[in-house]
Each structure stands twice: as C-alpha cells, then as structure tokens.
Amino acid sequence: MADGLGARLETPLFEQLTLIGVGLIGSSLARVASRKGLARRIVAYDNDPDVRAKVERLALADVVSPSPEKAVQGADLVILCAPVGAMGEIAKTIAPHLAPGTIVSDVGSVKEAIIEAVAPALPGHVHFVPAHPVAGTEYSGPAAGFATLFLNRWCILTPTPDIDPEIVARVESFWSAAGANVEIMKATHHDLVLAITSHVPHLIAYNIVGTAADLETVTQSEVIKFSAGGFRDFTRIAASDPTMWRDIFLNNKSAVIEMLGRFTEDLIALQRMIRHEDGDGLFKLFTRTRAIRRNIIEQGQETAAPDFGRGVAKDTDEER
Amino acid sequence: MADGLGARLETPLFEQLTLIGVGLIGSSLARVASRKGLARRIVAYDNDPDVRAKVERLALADVVSPSPEKAVQGADLVILCAPVGAMGEIAKTIAPHLAPGTIVSDVGSVKEAIIEAVAPALPGHVHFVPAHPVAGTEYSGPAAGFATLFLNRWCILTPTPDIDPEIVARVESFWSAAGANVEIMKATHHDLVLAITSHVPHLIAYNIVGTAADLETVTQSEVIKFSAGGFRDFTRIAASDPTMWRDIFLNNKSAVIEMLGRFTEDLIALQRMIRHEDGDGLFKLFTRTRAIRRNIIEQGQETAAPDFGRGVAKDTDEER
C-alpha cells in the first residue's frame, strides 16, 4: 500500500491485543494493528463511555469491552494507553484477570514512575515491558489517531533486567511491524532524555502562551493577530491534552526540574548577553543551533519544507 | 490566478520600487510586486555580489543595480530590506540621491531603533514610513522568497506623527495589494508586541536548542533521534538567520528584557508547582492555553491540520 506501512503480516504476532485507553495513541495502535494484522483479535476498553461508543462507531476494534477486567481476558498482549497517573490503578484492576504468560506494556511518556506503580501490582506470571512511542499530535481522542502515527518514529523500551530478552524481542517486533524504530534503554535514562526532548519543550510552550495571555501592555487580540512572528509555533504543543501533561510533570519531577534548571541558567546568560550587547556571543549561539535542525531533517525526523510546509501555496525556487 | 493574490493592478501604485537588500523578505516583495504590478519598474540592490548575481539569474527585478546610490535614483518608493543593524548606514548612503517626495520604508522587525537610526539621516524632502510585515520562514536569501509570503499576514506601520496621512495611505495600499492586512501603531508599542509574539519566542527556541546541545547526560544523537516529542518544533525558528536575529535583540533590548522577565517569572512559578505537585494549578494553565490556539486558527493565522500538516499521509477520521 502507498501509506508506507508495507504488507500485512502473514501470521499475526499475537492472538489478542487488548488496549486499555483509546485516545490518540491507543486508537492509532488499533488502526495500525488492524491494518498490518499484528493481532488476530483487537479488544478495546476506555473508561469514558463516549469514547467507547466512538470506538464502536469507528469500528476500531473487534470487541469494545464494558470493563477492563473483561477486556484483558484472553489477551496475550495488553497495552495500557491511559494517562501516566492512571496506570497504577488500571494495573491493580486487571491483575487478577491476566493469564499466565501475558505480556503487559504501556505507552506512557515517563517510565520510572510507571514501573514503580505498575510492576508491583502485576502477578508474577506476567511479563511487563514498558514502552514509549515518541510520536503524537496536538489532538486527542480516538478520532484523532491514524495508522501511520508511529511510522519512522522511535519507540523506546525500558525493560527491567529481570525480563526475558525473548519477551522484549516480541514487543520489539510488534513496534517494528507498526513502522517504528526501536531503542532499548534504562527507565531513568529515558526520563532524562525525554525531559529535554519533550517535557521541558512542552512546559516552556505552555508557559509562554500563559505569559502572553496575562500581559497588561499587550492585548490578547494583538498576540493572536501577530502570532505568525513565531509565537503560533508554541501554541501547537501548548494545545496538547492537559490531563496527560499534568501527569507527566507530576511523574517526572526530578528530571524535569533538573533540565529546567539548565534551561533557565542558559536563558539568564543569554539575557545578560543582550543587556551587555554581546553581539558576537548571540551570533555564535544562533549559528550553531542551525546545525541541529539540519541533522534532525537528515535523520527523517522532520520536514525540510519551509514553515513546516504549512500555509499557502509557494512558488519557491529550487536554488535555496 | 489560483495563488490567492487576486488580479494584477490596472495602474501601478508607484513608478519605481527600489529594494535595498534582497533576502527572503526583499525577494518576496520583488515577486509580489511583479506578480501584482505594484510598480512600473523594480530596481534591486544587495551588498552581497553573489546575491545580486542570483537576483539576476532569477530575474526578480527589472534592473539589478551595482550600488545603493544608483539603485535609488528615479525611485518614488524605496524599501530597505536589510538586517536591522544595517539600516542607519544605508540611509546615510542613499540620502543625497533621493528625489523630493520619495517614500522611504523598511521591513525591519524592530521599529523604534530603526526610526532613531534612519529618520535623522534622511533629507527633509522625503517621507519615512516604517513598516514591518509579520511574515517569514526559517530560510534566508533571494531563492527562499515567494509571492504569497505576505498573504493574510499582518503588516504593521509605525509612522511618526509628522507624516502626512495620505503618504501613510499610499504605503498601506501597497501592502494591501501585496495581500497583507495593515495595522498602524506607535513604534514603542510595536516593539513591545513583537517582543512577546516573536522576539522572546525566538530567544527561547535558540536557548533550548543550545541547552540540549550542551548536556553531558544526554547525547546530541539522542536529542536528534527523539526530537519528535516536541523539541523539533523549536529547531525551526532556531534555524532562522543569525545576523538578522542578533540585530533584533541588540535593537529591542529593553522590551525583550522586560518580556523575558515576565516569562522567567512565570516559568519559576510553574517549576514551583511541579516541585510542590500542584496538579490542579498545572491542569488549569494547560487548559486555558488551548483557547488561544483555537483563536489563532479561527483568525486565519495558523493551520488546523494536526502537527502543522507535516509528515506522512494521514487517514484521520472526520469526527475529530
């Protein structure tokens, strides 16, 4: 097919995939699992009855289950796709209903706190392989998902040392078949990496949008009108799901505060350069930041199109 | 035509438009002026011989002039499209060669410093109408421009009180015909508005890219790999032209430092909320920031497409 996901698997990797939580990520997983034939049967549960009804309407799963306990029955792969703060309770609820040998995974954006909350709640006869697909959009809910969300994105697995490597390999195959690249690292390191590549960027985006809204000297209408000067870029990630992001910051506190400290320290130094009119210092920083974007584009993690390719038709010349 | 710019004018607004500086903005002005017939003749000068050669090759102007003095001869509209820090010198150079009644304008991203540098250098028999089109991409140079860059964007004029309103109206007509909406305000207010909607956003984007590059605990290769979690968004504006941005910060020092102070104050409060696990406080901020993006989209300043519409094909459902 032309969607870049390649051919459907001849043999499913799992008998029954159960998704607990069917928002942007859960519904994208349902779509790609169905498109690629990753599991013989897809069962979905969401604690919001409206979401369950929508999942039925969109025919995203073979079965929409009325309870998490029922949903996990018969599953050999269960993926928790709920906000980080809800994972522990879900694990407790489903624990007695998990068959021996079941693989339990998740998609949470922090990993150490999830391991601490989920692992102790699960029975010894299941395998827990924490995962985090680094992908998303600013939209939420089951209608916002799409099958190619994970294509060429990275999925990070953070298994604890006691997990059988063959089990980890099965989860890796699942994500590879969904189009993702897989990397394995320690949970603590994951939390540090994501603090700088995702959590702090979201925090400063939320923050500047808040700052702009609260000014007395510049009206909100002016902020909106003249947002094309750069501000509007920040509003995209500042439009992300509030529950999800509250939970991330509460559960990756120390890494976020550490990275935020570095950011603020650097920002104060930059402010000082402006105050003392250190043009060379500013120029030097502004030059080396260009190289990083070039690398991100070269590695297929970003578009080279001007302005993210958004907006009106362009007659841009080739000579750029 | 289907480009949204509408029909070509029957009568040009000016006899000769002279552009001093032909980068992204200057070359976009040349393109739209030619496409819409805004001037009978377009003359261009750039202090970089390579740029002049490129402008010739791309046939962006009727005449590419070898000097700024020659370029302004015969012009009834001169627009300075150089970095903010170069405007004063250019004004001094062209001043003796400007005919009585010529309108001089610019496209600089700060206005008070430009008025201070340019106005005293110009002869009493010309009219200076400072302007700032709030539009751009992260690319630079004459090949990066396009005729629709200003379409539906805002152009801010900041004329001093001594300027004849009819002269201001002529500059307004020029920008309207180029597709822009025009707003008139005081230079000091412009500098405050742009500090929050453009300058501080660029500064924090440059800053976080610098912070991420300098970490010892997270490698640059990890930052690049996992940038899709939010970080990559910031790299776009942190890839903007270093000379242009150095000059902006040096020339809008007090407004930038004031807005940066507000930003940092709010960020520290947010950090404190995380430290004290104030989930409600975080949730409240993360909710109200969504409304601002909705407004920006409604007012045509941003795309509603997920993820700016970039990336792979999407089979997103309509129900979002």
Side-chain angles (χ1 to χ4, degrees):
Chain A
M1 285 202 202
D3 62 6
L5 286 167
R8 202 179 148 82
L9 302 190
E10 282 178 29
T11 316
L13 300 171
F14 292 91
E15 287 302 309
Q16 179 184 317
L17 163 66
T18 291
L19 298 165
I20 306 290
V22 198
L24 172 70
I25 302 291
S27 76
S28 294
L29 268 180
R31 285 175 172 94
V32 69
S34 151
R35 157 74 182 80
K36 287 279 296 182
L38 303 184
R40 210 172 290 280
R41 195 172 123 99
I42 300 170
V43 177
Y45 169 78
D46 194 285
N47 70 346
D48 181 341
D50 289 347
V51 169
R52 289 202 297 274
K54 219 174 229 185
V55 173
E56 294 257 25
R57 261 201 319 281
L58 296 171
L60 293 177
D62 298 304
V63 176
V64 179
S65 195
S67 79
E69 297 90 333
K70 281 219 171 93
V72 300
Q73 279 164 29
D76 49 352
L77 175 62
V78 174
I79 305 184
L80 313 181
C81 306
V84 171
M87 300 282 195
E89 278 309 305
I90 295 172
K92 277 180 207 155
T93 306
I94 62 172
H97 309 275
L98 295 167
T102 303
I103 297 177
V104 177
S105 188
D106 75 303
V107 296
S109 305
V110 304
K111 298 268 61 88
E112 214 185 0
I114 286 182
I115 293 174
E116 277 166 21
V118 170
L122 297 177
H125 63 240
V126 307
H127 314 283
F128 181 43
V129 183
H132 175 207
V134 185
T137 78
E138 67 275 29
Y139 289 95
S140 321
F146 47 96
T148 53
L149 178 62
F150 311 110
L151 188 62
N152 299 326
R153 294 284 87 87
W154 286 87
C155 181
I156 301 172
L157 308 185
T158 64
T160 48
D162 56 307
I163 301 294
D164 182 349
E166 277 181 36
I167 296 292
V168 178
R170 288 194 65 196
V171 177
E172 189 168 346
S173 306
F174 177 87
W175 280 104
S176 296
N181 308 311
V182 176
E183 179 121 332
I184 296 177
M185 63 175 77
K186 281 189 183 161
T188 47
H189 189 62
H190 165 279
D191 290 355
L192 214 52
V193 172
L194 270 289
I196 190 68
T197 58
S198 178
H199 306 171
V200 168
H202 274 77
L203 199 72
I204 63 184
Y206 278 122
N207 190 63
I208 197 171
V209 178
T211 302
D214 291 345
L215 295 172
E216 308 82 29
T217 46
V218 176
T219 68
Q220 197 151 314
S221 133
E222 288 174 322
V223 168
I224 289 162
K225 265 186 186 169
F226 308 118
S227 60
F231 179 78
R232 63 176 176 163
D233 282 27
F234 294 75
T235 64
R236 188 185 78 78
I237 59 180
S240 301
D241 185 59
T243 306
M244 170 180 163
W245 283 95
R246 176 200 62 197
D247 283 7
I248 288 172
F249 293 115
L250 296 180
N251 287 283
N252 197 21
K253 210 169 105 165
S254 68
V256 167
I257 290 177
E258 183 185 329
M259 291 300 174
L260 205 48
R262 298 290 295 249
F263 172 83
T264 311
E265 192 177 302
D266 290 347
L267 191 63
I268 299 288
L270 207 43
Q271 180 170 330
R272 201 167 176 275
M273 278 189 210
I274 294 173
R275 197 184 294 279
H276 294 285
E277 301 184 1
D278 176 7
D280 291 344
L282 294 172
F283 187 84
K284 226 177 272 173
L285 172 65
F286 299 171
T287 305
R288 73 192 177 96
T289 49
R290 278 190 147 175
I292 293 193
R293 181 167 181 84
R294 215 175 304 125
N295 269 316
I296 293 175
I297 291 169
E298 278 165 16
Q299 296 197 18
Q301 297 300 310
E302 177 61 292
T303 173
D307 214 10
F308 302 119
R310 72 184 156 195
V312 291
K314 292 170 175 59
D315 57 6
T316 309
D317 192 90
E318 289 305 299
E319 219 176 317
R320 178 178 311 125
Chain B
M1 286 202 202
D3 62 7
L5 285 166
R8 201 179 150 83
L9 301 189
E10 282 178 29
T11 316
L13 300 171
F14 292 91
E15 287 302 309
Q16 180 183 315
L17 163 64
T18 291
L19 299 164
I20 306 289
V22 199
L24 171 69
I25 301 291
S27 76
S28 296
L29 268 179
R31 285 174 171 94
V32 70
S34 151
R35 156 74 182 80
K36 289 279 297 182
L38 303 183
R40 210 172 291 280
R41 195 171 123 98
I42 300 171
V43 177
Y45 169 78
D46 195 285
N47 70 346
D48 181 342
D50 288 348
V51 169
R52 290 201 298 274
K54 220 176 229 184
V55 172
E56 294 256 25
R57 259 200 321 279
L58 296 170
L60 293 176
D62 298 303
V63 176
V64 179
S65 196
S67 79
E69 296 90 333
K70 282 221 171 92
V72 301
Q73 278 163 30
D76 49 351
L77 176 62
V78 174
I79 305 184
L80 313 182
C81 306
V84 170
M87 301 284 196
E89 278 310 304
I90 294 171
K92 277 180 208 155
T93 307
I94 63 172
H97 309 274
L98 296 166
T102 303
I103 298 177
V104 176
S105 188
D106 75 303
V107 296
S109 304
V110 304
K111 299 268 61 89
E112 215 186 358
I114 286 181
I115 292 174
E116 278 166 21
V118 170
L122 297 177
H125 63 240
V126 307
H127 314 283
F128 180 43
V129 182
H132 175 208
V134 184
T137 77
E138 68 275 30
Y139 290 96
S140 322
F146 46 97
T148 54
L149 178 62
F150 311 109
L151 188 62
N152 298 325
R153 295 284 88 88
W154 286 87
C155 182
I156 302 173
L157 308 184
T158 64
T160 47
D162 57 306
I163 301 295
D164 183 348
E166 278 181 36
I167 296 291
V168 177
R170 288 193 66 196
V171 177
E172 190 168 346
S173 307
F174 177 87
W175 281 103
S176 298
N181 308 310
V182 176
E183 178 121 334
I184 295 176
M185 63 175 76
K186 280 188 183 161
T188 48
H189 189 62
H190 165 279
D191 289 356
L192 215 52
V193 172
L194 270 289
I196 189 69
T197 58
S198 179
H199 306 171
V200 168
H202 275 77
L203 199 72
I204 64 185
Y206 279 121
N207 190 62
I208 197 170
V209 178
T211 301
D214 291 344
L215 294 173
E216 307 82 29
T217 47
V218 175
T219 68
Q220 196 150 315
S221 134
E222 288 174 322
V223 167
I224 289 163
K225 266 185 185 170
F226 308 118
S227 60
F231 179 78
R232 64 176 175 163
D233 281 28
F234 293 75
T235 64
R236 189 186 76 79
I237 58 180
S240 301
D241 185 59
T243 306
M244 171 180 162
W245 283 95
R246 176 199 62 197
D247 283 6
I248 288 172
F249 293 115
L250 296 180
N251 287 284
N252 197 20
K253 208 169 105 166
S254 68
V256 167
I257 289 177
E258 184 186 329
M259 291 301 175
L260 205 48
R262 297 290 294 250
F263 172 84
T264 312
E265 194 178 301
D266 291 346
L267 190 63
I268 300 288
L270 206 44
Q271 180 170 332
R272 201 167 176 275
M273 280 189 210
I274 294 173
R275 196 183 295 281
H276 294 285
E277 300 184 3
D278 176 6
D280 290 345
L282 294 173
F283 187 84
K284 225 176 274 173
L285 172 65
F286 299 171
T287 305
R288 73 193 177 96
T289 49
R290 278 190 147 175
I292 293 192
R293 182 165 180 85
R294 214 174 305 125
N295 269 315
I296 293 175
I297 292 168
E298 278 165 16
Q299 296 197 19
Q301 296 302 309
E302 177 60 292
T303 173
D307 212 11
F308 301 119
R310 73 184 156 196
V312 291
K314 292 170 174 58
D315 57 5
T316 309
D317 191 88
E318 289 305 300
E319 220 177 315
R320 177 179 311 123

XYZ file of all heavy atoms in Angstrom, chain A residues 180-213:
254
model
N 7.725 1.572 13.536
C 8.631 2.355 14.392
C 10.048 1.782 14.411
O 10.258 0.603 14.127
C 8.081 2.403 15.809
N 11.019 2.618 14.746
C 12.366 2.178 15.102
C 12.359 1.945 16.607
O 11.745 2.709 17.347
C 13.398 3.270 14.800
C 13.274 3.783 13.384
O 13.215 2.999 12.454
N 13.224 5.105 13.222
N 13.068 0.917 17.067
C 13.027 0.599 18.494
C 14.393 0.817 19.134
O 15.418 0.457 18.558
C 12.541 -0.854 18.723
C 12.584 -1.215 20.206
C 11.133 -1.031 18.159
N 14.389 1.432 20.288
C 15.626 1.607 21.061
C 15.350 1.122 22.483
O 14.258 1.314 23.009
C 16.028 3.089 21.075
C 17.265 3.366 21.873
C 18.385 4.013 21.049
O 18.446 3.789 19.816
O 19.190 4.733 21.654
N 16.348 0.476 23.078
C 16.177 -0.026 24.444
C 17.106 0.747 25.362
O 18.278 0.952 25.032
C 16.468 -1.545 24.504
C 15.421 -2.275 23.637
C 16.447 -2.058 25.943
C 15.608 -3.770 23.530
N 16.589 1.248 26.458
C 17.429 1.949 27.438
C 16.842 1.812 28.830
O 15.745 1.287 29.009
C 17.594 3.428 27.058
C 16.324 4.249 27.040
S 16.598 6.034 26.718
C 16.882 6.035 24.951
N 17.616 2.263 29.820
C 17.125 2.236 31.197
C 16.022 3.271 31.399
O 16.075 4.367 30.820
C 18.269 2.555 32.152
C 19.181 1.385 32.395
C 20.156 1.728 33.530
C 21.131 0.576 33.725
N 22.329 0.995 34.463
N 15.086 2.975 32.267
C 13.970 3.893 32.541
C 14.463 5.264 33.013
O 13.958 6.301 32.576
C 13.028 3.283 33.579
N 15.453 5.281 33.894
C 15.946 6.570 34.408
C 16.542 7.411 33.284
O 16.355 8.623 33.236
C 17.048 6.373 35.471
O 17.988 5.412 34.961
C 16.474 5.858 36.773
N 17.252 6.744 32.368
C 17.839 7.488 31.267
C 16.743 7.990 30.325
O 16.795 9.139 29.869
C 18.865 6.639 30.516
C 19.647 7.422 29.505
N 20.454 8.484 29.869
C 19.724 7.344 28.155
C 20.995 9.010 28.784
N 20.554 8.337 27.726
N 15.775 7.143 30.056
C 14.625 7.580 29.253
C 14.029 8.871 29.808
O 13.738 9.817 29.075
C 13.536 6.499 29.219
C 12.218 7.010 28.718
N 11.321 7.700 29.528
C 11.658 6.980 27.483
C 10.276 8.047 28.801
N 10.447 7.627 27.570
N 13.845 8.897 31.106
C 13.168 10.043 31.721
C 13.981 11.331 31.586
O 13.423 12.429 31.473
C 12.859 9.746 33.195
C 11.760 8.696 33.330
O 11.190 8.277 32.290
O 11.462 8.297 34.469
N 15.291 11.181 31.580
C 16.187 12.329 31.406
C 16.149 12.803 29.945
O 16.045 14.000 29.666
C 17.600 11.870 31.770
C 18.552 12.841 32.437
C 17.938 13.497 33.657
C 19.839 12.109 32.827
N 16.234 11.855 29.020
C 16.216 12.185 27.589
C 14.901 12.871 27.222
O 14.888 13.913 26.555
C 16.407 10.910 26.722
C 16.186 11.225 25.234
C 17.799 10.316 26.929
N 13.801 12.297 27.684
C 12.511 12.883 27.327
C 12.259 14.208 28.038
O 11.527 15.053 27.527
C 11.375 11.884 27.592
C 11.042 10.974 26.401
C 10.343 11.763 25.280
C 12.263 10.256 25.825
N 12.874 14.393 29.199
C 12.729 15.683 29.884
C 13.204 16.811 28.975
O 12.545 17.847 28.856
C 13.502 15.685 31.206
N 14.330 16.598 28.278
C 14.847 17.679 27.423
C 14.233 17.680 26.026
O 14.034 18.743 25.432
C 16.404 17.656 27.351
C 16.945 18.919 26.660
C 16.932 16.423 26.635
C 16.757 20.196 27.424
N 13.894 16.515 25.480
C 13.376 16.491 24.100
C 11.867 16.669 24.030
O 11.322 16.886 22.958
C 13.730 15.171 23.383
O 13.183 14.086 24.138
C 15.221 14.994 23.227
N 11.186 16.567 25.161
C 9.724 16.631 25.103
C 9.097 17.395 26.264
O 8.283 18.287 26.061
C 9.173 15.203 25.046
O 7.780 15.202 25.030
N 9.480 17.051 27.499
C 8.752 17.608 28.641
C 9.046 19.095 28.839
O 8.124 19.902 28.966
C 9.046 16.792 29.903
C 8.780 15.313 29.713
N 9.133 14.362 30.622
C 8.196 14.630 28.682
C 8.779 13.157 30.174
N 8.220 13.297 28.998
N 10.332 19.463 28.861
C 10.658 20.887 29.015
C 10.164 21.712 27.810
O 9.594 22.791 28.006
C 12.169 21.095 29.313
C 12.564 22.561 29.175
C 12.494 20.586 30.717
N 10.321 21.233 26.568
C 9.706 21.977 25.454
C 8.202 22.227 25.659
O 7.725 23.332 25.405
C 9.968 21.078 24.238
C 11.257 20.388 24.564
C 11.189 20.145 26.055
N 7.480 21.216 26.112
C 6.053 21.439 26.362
C 5.845 22.469 27.470
O 4.987 23.335 27.379
C 5.356 20.122 26.722
C 4.910 19.345 25.516
N 5.776 18.613 24.739
C 3.689 19.216 24.932
C 5.110 18.055 23.733
N 3.840 18.407 23.823
N 6.649 22.369 28.515
C 6.473 23.284 29.637
C 6.720 24.732 29.222
O 5.941 25.627 29.568
C 7.420 22.895 30.778
C 7.020 23.470 32.130
C 5.784 22.756 32.664
C 8.158 23.350 33.130
N 7.774 24.980 28.448
C 8.035 26.369 28.077
C 7.026 26.858 27.041
O 6.712 28.040 26.991
C 9.502 26.614 27.657
C 9.901 25.845 26.427
C 10.449 26.283 28.791
C 11.378 26.007 26.075
N 6.487 25.940 26.252
C 5.430 26.344 25.313
C 4.167 26.740 26.098
O 3.591 27.804 25.866
C 5.128 25.215 24.335
N 3.754 25.891 27.017
C 2.612 26.237 27.868
C 2.885 27.572 28.574
O 2.017 28.426 28.689
C 2.384 25.161 28.932
C 1.617 23.943 28.486
C 2.177 22.663 28.583
C 0.312 24.044 27.996
C 1.471 21.523 28.191
C -0.398 22.915 27.612
C 0.180 21.654 27.711
O -0.529 20.545 27.334
N 4.124 27.733 29.032
C 4.454 28.912 29.817
C 4.381 30.203 29.004
O 3.781 31.179 29.445
C 5.854 28.754 30.429
C 6.155 29.836 31.445
O 5.490 29.933 32.469
N 7.129 30.680 31.150
N 4.950 30.208 27.804
C 4.944 31.465 27.056
C 3.537 31.820 26.604
O 3.170 32.996 26.545
C 5.939 31.480 25.874
C 6.151 32.938 25.453
C 5.484 30.628 24.710
C 7.243 33.172 24.473
N 2.720 30.819 26.329
C 1.344 31.122 25.955
C 0.615 31.732 27.152
O -0.128 32.713 27.015
C 0.620 29.868 25.410
C -0.827 30.182 25.076
C 1.324 29.349 24.159
N 0.883 31.203 28.333
C 0.313 31.786 29.550
C 0.812 33.206 29.793
O 0.028 34.116 30.084
N 2.111 33.417 29.662
C 2.692 34.749 29.854
C 2.041 35.757 28.916
O 1.628 36.848 29.328
C 4.221 34.737 29.587
O 4.838 33.781 30.459
C 4.834 36.104 29.825
N 1.931 35.393 27.645
C 1.372 36.304 26.645
C -0.076 36.645 26.963
O -0.518 37.783 26.784
C 1.473 35.676 25.250
N -0.811 35.660 27.464
C -2.233 35.887 27.768
C -2.421 36.824 28.958
O -3.451 37.492 29.071
C -2.923 34.559 28.036
